[in-house]
Amino acid sequence: MIVYGKNVFTQLEQDPDSIERIYLQKGIRDRKLIDRVQRLKCDIQYMDRNQLDQLVKDRHHNGIALKVCPIPELSLEELIQKADRPGLLVALDGIQDPHNLGAILRTCDCVGADGVILCRHNSVSLTPTAVKASTGAAYTIPVCTVTNLKNALNQCKENGYWVIGSDMEGARDYREGIYDVPLVLVIGSEGKGISPLVKKQCDYMIKLPMEGKITSLNASVACAVLLYQIYQARHPL
């Protein structure tokens, strides 16, 4: 797997055994970055800008890319067992934009969430773009990929979790949510929202007020607002 960006390197720098090769852009002027790379004593390959662009299929790589071992994932059972109490998991139902996934992972790290549940089909996975957008959080937040999200949520409920979904219809204001219990927060796809079968697994729905002419928020933005509301409820000043 090829990942890229300075923030991703900063995270991987702490686990050099996971790095198989480092690709540096020829002529890069960041002397501190070069020194950090050389201290790791990993295999280094220098490439010109066009070669690096083609390698990562993106121009926003900050002059560094890395060939790494696959990011390890947990089973759902392991994710539940490792969660602190009260647990906080985020389940993504049909999210397809890797930038949204990366941003959600980043927010999960910031609020101390215990993990993210992804769907195997018709959903984004931990692609290099998602890893870059996460600014390294793809390596700090445990991820579990399930075949059937409905069944996974039911398993979470059997382990004491409440499942709440973000939706506009039949939902209570997000400030009225019950957040001091183990929670799975479900975020629906960018276009269709939460699927009907998954919605049936939700104990209740919450919504964000929309006072202007726009009727929805970006999925990662909505997730961030809701996660910080949960954080505020659990850690009041």
Side-chain angles (χ1 to χ4, degrees):
M1 182 178 183
I2 302 294
V3 297
Y4 53 94
K6 290 181 182 179
N7 289 322
V8 174
F9 171 69
T10 297
Q11 188 60 45
L12 287 167
E13 191 177 14
Q14 303 173 41
D15 183 21
D17 289 341
S18 67
I19 303 172
E20 298 179 2
R21 178 176 295 173
I22 299 177
Y23 302 92
L24 273 181
Q25 182 178 318
K26 292 178 181 178
I28 188 170
R29 296 181 180 180
D30 190 334
R31 188 68 244 178
K32 290 183 179 179
L33 177 63
I34 295 172
D35 290 342
R36 288 162 58 196
V37 168
Q38 291 177 340
R39 278 198 297 268
L40 293 182
K41 298 181 179 180
C42 295
D43 181 21
I44 304 173
Q45 181 176 338
Y46 290 89
M47 311 179 81
D48 62 35
R49 176 62 186 261
N50 288 336
Q51 289 175 316
L52 203 52
D53 290 352
Q54 293 175 11
L55 177 69
V56 305
K57 298 179 176 59
D58 193 334
R59 294 180 57 83
H60 305 290
H61 44 63
N62 309 129
I64 185 169
L66 307 96
K67 183 179 181 182
V68 297
C69 303
I71 298 175
E73 293 193 18
L74 300 182
S75 67
L76 183 57
E77 293 79 7
E78 291 171 328
L79 200 64
I80 293 171
Q81 289 173 1
K82 288 179 175 292
D84 293 327
R85 292 292 176 175
L88 176 57
L89 303 174
V90 175
L92 304 184
D93 182 19
I95 296 291
Q96 297 183 333
D97 185 343
H99 294 94
N100 272 338
L101 172 56
I104 288 169
L105 288 168
R106 186 175 182 177
T107 304
C108 284
D109 180 274
C110 291
V111 302
D114 296 296
V116 172
I117 302 171
L118 304 178
C119 298
R120 192 173 307 281
H121 305 295
N122 301 318
S123 299
V124 70
S125 60
L126 285 174
T127 64
T129 300
V131 174
K132 170 75 161 54
S134 79
T135 65
Y139 290 92
T140 63
I141 293 297
V143 169
C144 164
T145 301
V146 300
T147 302
N148 188 308
L149 183 56
K150 171 181 172 292
N151 292 343
L153 294 176
N154 187 56
Q155 185 174 341
C156 290
K157 294 172 76 169
E158 290 174 350
N159 282 271
Y161 281 80
W162 287 37
V163 177
I164 58 176
S166 175
D167 196 70
M168 293 302 293
E169 296 182 7
R172 65 181 72 175
D173 188 287
Y174 78 113
R175 291 164 291 185
E176 299 175 336
I178 301 169
Y179 301 133
D180 59 351
V181 295
L183 287 177
V184 181
L185 172 63
V186 183
I187 302 295
S189 69
E190 295 88 348
K192 299 179 180 179
I194 299 174
S195 61
L197 287 176
V198 170
K199 194 175 292 187
K200 289 181 179 179
Q201 291 298 314
C202 296
D203 293 295
Y204 62 90
M205 311 300 291
I206 52 177
K207 64 181 178 181
L208 293 164
M210 297 290 152
E211 300 291 348
K213 298 185 183 300
I214 305 301
T215 59
S216 66
L217 288 170
N218 174 279
S220 62
V221 174
C223 183
V225 173
L226 296 174
L227 284 175
Y228 268 99
Q229 178 66 19
I230 295 169
Y231 181 88
Q232 189 278 330
R234 293 183 174 185
H235 306 279
L237 293 176

